[in-house]
Amino acid sequence: MLPRAETLLDIEGVRAFVRVVDLASFTRAADSLATSQAAISLRVKRLEDRLGLRLLDRTPRHVAPTLRGAKFLPSARLLLEAHARAVADLADAPPPRLSLGISDHVAGPDLPGRLARLGLDGMGVVPEVTILPSRDLRPAFVAGRFERGSGACGRR
């Protein structure tokens, strides 16, 4: 049975397959990925099961890609490169921001503690706080300057 185009691949299984081929050894692949030989073997087996075909010929002293494995190898490398780029792009992206407008009569010395209790740091969100007189806060909020407002944003 050949895999269908919508078959989802496990990136760690693909990484294990490529490393086994590159190093011609499950043991060396495991060492290079800081895991056990059994874990590498299981990842490759699951990948083969997912694809419905054998990717590697195995003997006690030799491992090499099958014809299908050799055909899959260039695409597997491209997948790993694309995955690495996608993760790097996320790492390079600026953190999300939350703009807050706060009335000057509400803001006080406990404001930093209140912001900390929101837990934005744990979510990777950077708060941008602007403190304005109450009369200026509502028009700025309505104009879209802030995602959230506190103070005179209610009914008048």
Side-chain angles (χ1 to χ4, degrees):
M1 175 176 90
L2 293 176
R4 298 189 329 231
E6 64 270 7
T7 299
L8 297 177
L9 299 177
D10 171 45
I11 200 75
E12 292 305 318
V14 174
R15 180 174 286 116
F17 164 72
V18 169
R19 197 64 59 95
V20 168
V21 171
D22 287 348
L23 300 175
S25 166
F26 280 85
T27 302
R28 288 193 295 266
D31 289 344
S32 75
L33 294 171
T35 191
S36 69
Q37 182 273 329
I40 294 297
S41 183
L42 183 61
R43 288 178 189 162
V44 170
K45 176 72 173 118
R46 285 183 178 158
L47 178 63
E48 290 174 325
D49 290 347
R50 171 77 47 129
L51 292 171
L53 46 93
R54 214 164 40 110
L55 297 173
L56 296 171
D57 280 326
R58 304 158 174 87
T59 67
R61 299 212 181 268
H62 179 73
V63 61
T66 62
L67 288 175
R68 298 258 173 129
K71 184 176 181 177
F72 176 64
L73 186 60
S75 297
R77 290 186 196 285
L78 289 173
L79 176 62
L80 293 175
E81 290 168 13
H83 178 266
R85 279 193 309 276
V87 171
D89 288 349
L90 288 175
D92 292 342
R97 298 190 166 319
L98 175 65
S99 58
L100 302 169
I102 299 177
S103 172
D104 58 355
H105 77 272
V106 174
D110 59 341
L111 181 59
R114 289 178 184 215
L115 290 173
R117 283 195 297 276
L118 291 174
L120 298 177
D121 284 346
M123 295 184 284
V125 176
V126 176
E128 294 178 341
V129 177
T130 302
I131 299 172
L132 294 171
S134 294
R135 70 180 177 281
D136 298 333
L137 187 60
R138 183 172 178 82
F141 180 74
V142 170
R145 246 180 97 189
F146 311 116
E147 280 90 14
R148 296 286 180 261
S150 175
C153 285
R155 285 184 247 149
R156 288 191 173 205

